[in-house]
Amino acid sequence: MEFAELIKTPRVDGVVLHRPFMPTVEGTLCLTGHHLILSSRQDNIEELWLLHSNIDSIEKRFVGSLGSIIVKCKDLRVIQLDIPGMEECLNIASSIEALSTLDSLSLMYPFFYRPMFEVIEDGWKLFLPEEAFKDLESMTDEWRLSDVNKDFSVCPSYPSLVAVPKNIDDEALRKMATFRQGGRFPVLSYYHRKNGMVMMRAGQPLTGTNGRRCKEDEKLINATLRPGKRGYIIDTRAINVAQQAKARGGGFESEANYPQWRRIHKAIERSNVLQESLIKLVEACNDQSHNMDRWLSKLEASSWQSHVKEILTTACLAAQCIDREGASVLVHGTEGTDSTLQVTSLAQIILDPSRRTIRGFQSLVEREWLQAGHPFQQRCAQSAYSNSKPRQEAPVFLLFLDCVWQILRQFPCSFEFNESFLLLLFEHTYASQFGTFLGNYTAERVKVSLPEKTVSLWSWVNRPQELQRLTNPLYEANGLVIWPSVAPQSLLLWEGVFLRWNRSSQCLDEAYDEMVHIIEYNKELQNKVNSLRRQLAQLETQDPLLESL
């Protein structure tokens, strides 16, 4: 298919652009295969370059011969294009709708993008499973790297290499794969250096109504326990949901077959509920009534903050089991690709200081989301403005980033990265020139040769000039476990995302910048005070009269 076939009117002059916080611009609107571009002959005017993949929906309005297109973006921006001529407006709208809903991976912009920057590090090679396993080998010899899934036939959503207990052979893994949803048998997610406890993740066991069991599965899970120790299975479904799954062939681990494990159910909502929650939240944030009671009521009705609390609470529970109870943990829901990954990722941020660095967080996103099989292509196909009925779309990763932001806000000095890094990840999961978040599983990415044909987001992020922008000026390495509060008053709306295009958010940004300047100034003063104290201490040893000071 040629992109030109979808572009009915490639260029229109005299188009007026309206966008948040920026002056109105008149110029020439151009449509390319991947971008909507508005350029102006005026000096010092920032042009608009909008990826079609970032467009969630459009609306058309007409007043006489003048047409307007309201473009609603996946990053929650809303812009307006005033186009002279009804026919031109209809043609532009039709072309945008066609170009913004392409499904073929090979037609996506990352396959056509050529970087204008020097690639210092190839991001595709930074976080390979074998590299991560070297760190594990330095801490323990109880695990091995299995290539049982080298052709992705055992589990389509797992990477080619997975970490499993050393005494479990590949044949046992194949049998386990038939017992777990989607072939997702238990694999290592995290090893806690402090006490040797581990966190694993998997899909639900396929016990069904007949109480099917798998002795290989039981052996693997028990192999992770220390002598005399118990483990915890954290099921991210409510008990009634888990029981209903039995009728469809799913289920949960029976205490009779897993006697050393205690099962805990922590209900985290699934994709369709989360998508509706995001839609209601964005609607509330765009409410122009300026009635505080109405706004707060709509905000509460969206249940977004409740989802944040549920996820953080479950992650804290997993971290507490590992660090304070000295117990290993297995986490799963149904598929093991959504709420499971939210919990395992956040638990690691709570437990492991290295995950709070820029590179450590990149590694976490790679291992616990991209390589672990979170279906980004499906979940991020639509955002909050789409007019079509949600299918498999859900803001699962956005909710995870929101939870990270909540912890960052509570521990502002314990993270090497700042809010801009989280916003960057949010934007690129929905629309990007980089190939990192394309596709659903590693198998898909390998099939279309993503590492060879596209540029990794990490190649861009890890350039010195970009790292400088994303680094937290308040960062001081904290080697301790951090325990975030999940009290309602401790969890705030993430203004940087949901009020980003609202004028009040600008004031908040300015206040934050001012706070950073004050803290940096105070640090300078403190350094000067400490320097003076050292000088006084030296003088005291030389002149007894100064001791009274």
Side-chain angles (χ1 to χ4, degrees), residues 33 49 61 78 122 129 141 167 173 191 201 282 301 316 329 363 401 410 414 420 427 446 516 530 548:
W49 285 71
R61 298 175 185 170
V78 179
D122 184 356
D141 62 353
N167 61 347
L173 297 177
Y191 182 90
R201 46 179 163 75
V282 172
C316 287
V329 170
S363 172
L401 293 177
Q410 293 183 29
S414 295
S420 295
E427 291 171 351
V446 170
V516 169
N530 291 338
S548 60

Side-chain angles (χ1 to χ4, degrees), residues 46-77:
E46 184 181 338
E47 295 182 327
L48 173 71
W49 285 71
L50 181 66
L51 274 169
H52 294 311
S53 58
N54 192 13
I55 297 174
D56 208 25
S57 72
I58 64 169
E59 296 176 7
K60 301 179 287 289
R61 298 175 185 170
F62 296 96
V63 179
S65 62
L66 180 67
S68 293
I69 299 177
I70 312 299
V71 180
K72 298 185 176 182
C73 304
K74 293 176 184 175
D75 63 6
L76 308 185
R77 228 181 331 168

Side-chain angles (χ1 to χ4, degrees), residues 17 30 44 61 80 107 128 156 220 227 322 481 489-490 543:
L17 168 67
C30 297
N44 302 318
R61 298 175 185 170
Q80 179 175 323
L107 295 178
L128 300 174
L220 183 149
I322 292 169
V481 175
Q489 63 269 28
S490 300
D543 191 343

Side-chain angles (χ1 to χ4, degrees), residues 428-459:
H428 283 275
T429 52
Y430 282 93
S432 180
Q433 67 269 44
F434 304 107
T436 299
F437 293 104
L438 281 188
N440 292 307
Y441 311 127
T442 301
E444 284 185 27
R445 298 182 182 105
V446 170
K447 185 176 180 180
V448 297
S449 304
L450 268 183
E452 292 77 31
K453 295 182 178 180
T454 71
V455 181
S456 167
L457 174 62
W458 313 132
S459 298

Side-chain angles (χ1 to χ4, degrees), residues 175-445:
K175 291 180 180 178
M176 274 180 265
T178 65
F179 178 69
R180 291 278 175 174
Q181 179 87 17
R184 294 176 68 88
F185 55 85
V187 296
L188 180 68
S189 172
Y190 172 68
Y191 182 90
H192 197 40
R193 185 189 295 266
K194 174 182 171 182
N195 58 12
M197 296 299 107
V198 300
M199 179 164 53
M200 298 176 291
R201 46 179 163 75
Q204 68 170 336
L206 304 178
T207 57
T209 54
N210 296 326
R212 179 188 172 202
R213 63 186 296 187
C214 176
K215 292 188 176 180
E216 290 81 7
D217 190 87
E218 296 163 20
K219 181 181 178 182
L220 183 149
I221 293 177
N222 285 327
T224 65
L225 295 178
R226 295 279 187 264
K229 290 284 187 177
R230 290 174 59 88
Y232 291 90
I233 297 173
I234 298 179
D235 193 323
T236 62
R237 304 168 294 181
I239 180 65
N240 62 313
V241 175
Q243 288 172 337
Q244 291 167 8
K246 283 188 173 185
R248 299 187 296 273
F252 50 85
E253 295 81 359
S254 164
E255 292 180 3
N257 299 332
Y258 298 84
Q260 293 175 272
W261 292 80
R262 179 187 170 192
R263 193 178 70 252
I264 304 173
H265 289 271
K266 299 293 289 185
I268 295 177
E269 292 292 355
R270 301 202 47 196
S271 58
N272 58 331
V273 176
L274 299 182
Q275 184 69 10
E276 289 298 323
S277 180
L278 175 64
I279 292 169
K280 290 178 181 178
L281 174 63
V282 172
E283 181 186 335
C285 292
N286 291 339
D287 189 344
Q288 299 297 316
S289 68
H290 302 293
N291 183 316
M292 182 59 73
D293 290 339
R294 173 183 164 84
W295 186 79
L296 289 174
S297 176
K298 294 181 74 171
L299 181 63
E300 184 178 3
S302 75
S303 298
W304 183 267
Q305 296 300 90
S306 298
H307 301 319
V308 170
K309 180 179 179 180
E310 290 164 358
I311 296 165
L312 274 175
T313 300
T314 308
C316 287
L317 172 64
Q320 185 175 10
C321 290
I322 292 169
D323 186 69
R324 293 185 173 177
E325 299 290 328
S328 290
V329 170
L330 169 66
V331 184
H332 73 72
T334 303
E335 294 88 357
T337 57
D338 293 302
S339 58
T340 298
L341 306 184
Q342 290 172 329
V343 172
T344 58
S345 301
L346 288 167
Q348 290 182 53
I349 289 171
I350 292 168
L351 293 168
D352 189 351
S354 71
R355 298 290 173 256
R356 303 172 215 147
T357 65
I358 294 177
R359 190 166 290 246
F361 195 81
Q362 292 174 33
S363 172
L364 183 70
V365 171
E366 276 284 345
R367 290 191 301 100
E368 291 300 294
W369 290 89
L370 291 160
Q371 295 171 18
H374 178 66
F376 279 99
Q377 199 72 27
Q378 293 174 354
R379 297 291 184 261
C380 300
Q382 298 177 7
S383 184
Y385 293 123
S386 177
N387 296 320
S388 60
K389 187 176 181 180
R391 301 182 298 273
Q392 294 177 301
E393 291 82 5
V396 176
F397 189 69
L398 174 56
L399 257 172
F400 161 68
L401 293 177
D402 196 327
C403 291
V404 176
W405 177 79
Q406 302 288 345
I407 306 175
L408 168 61
R409 194 186 59 78
Q410 293 183 29
F411 296 89
C413 300
S414 295
F415 288 79
E416 186 185 22
F417 53 85
N418 57 25
E419 182 185 18
S420 295
F421 184 43
L422 301 179
L423 289 172
L424 179 144
L425 292 177
F426 158 61
E427 291 171 351
H428 283 275
T429 52
Y430 282 93
S432 180
Q433 67 269 44
F434 304 107
T436 299
F437 293 104
L438 281 188
N440 292 307
Y441 311 127
T442 301
E444 284 185 27
R445 298 182 182 105

Side-chain angles (χ1 to χ4, degrees), residues 21-163:
F21 308 140
M22 302 188 76
T24 298
V25 179
E26 182 176 347
T28 300
L29 179 69
C30 297
L31 286 185
T32 71
H34 295 103
H35 285 89
L36 184 156
I37 305 168
L38 189 134
S39 57
S40 171
R41 293 179 181 175
Q42 296 173 258
D43 294 333
N44 302 318
I45 294 294
E46 184 181 338
E47 295 182 327
L48 173 71
W49 285 71
L50 181 66
L51 274 169
H52 294 311
S53 58
N54 192 13
I55 297 174
D56 208 25
S57 72
I58 64 169
E59 296 176 7
K60 301 179 287 289
R61 298 175 185 170
F62 296 96
V63 179
S65 62
L66 180 67
S68 293
I69 299 177
I70 312 299
V71 180
K72 298 185 176 182
C73 304
K74 293 176 184 175
D75 63 6
L76 308 185
R77 228 181 331 168
V78 179
I79 63 175
Q80 179 175 323
L81 297 166
D82 294 338
I83 301 173
M86 183 177 294
E87 183 179 353
E88 286 82 357
C89 183
L90 289 171
N91 285 345
I92 291 290
S94 174
S95 299
I96 291 174
E97 286 176 332
L99 292 166
S100 63
T101 54
L102 297 175
D103 289 330
S104 174
L105 272 185
S106 60
L107 295 178
M108 299 298 182
Y109 182 53
F111 284 96
F112 298 83
Y113 170 71
R114 296 295 175 263
M116 301 295 289
F117 62 93
E118 181 185 0
V119 178
I120 301 172
E121 287 185 298
D122 184 356
W124 291 112
K125 299 177 180 178
L126 288 181
F127 308 109
L128 300 174
E130 49 268 42
E131 293 299 316
F133 189 70
K134 289 178 182 177
D135 294 334
L136 180 64
E137 279 186 313
S138 68
M139 295 183 281
T140 177
D141 62 353
E142 298 173 334
W143 295 79
R144 70 181 182 92
L145 210 53
S146 169
D147 65 352
V148 68
N149 197 43
K150 58 187 176 184
D151 57 358
F152 307 106
S153 61
V154 175
C155 177
S157 61
Y158 271 175
S160 57
L161 297 171
V162 290

Side-chain angles (χ1 to χ4, degrees), residues 464-485:
Q465 57 268 48
E466 194 66 14
L467 286 173
Q468 185 177 8
R469 185 180 74 86
L470 302 175
T471 298
N472 177 10
L474 310 180
Y475 176 62
E476 293 182 4
N478 175 7
L480 302 175
V481 175
I482 56 177
W483 298 104
S485 169

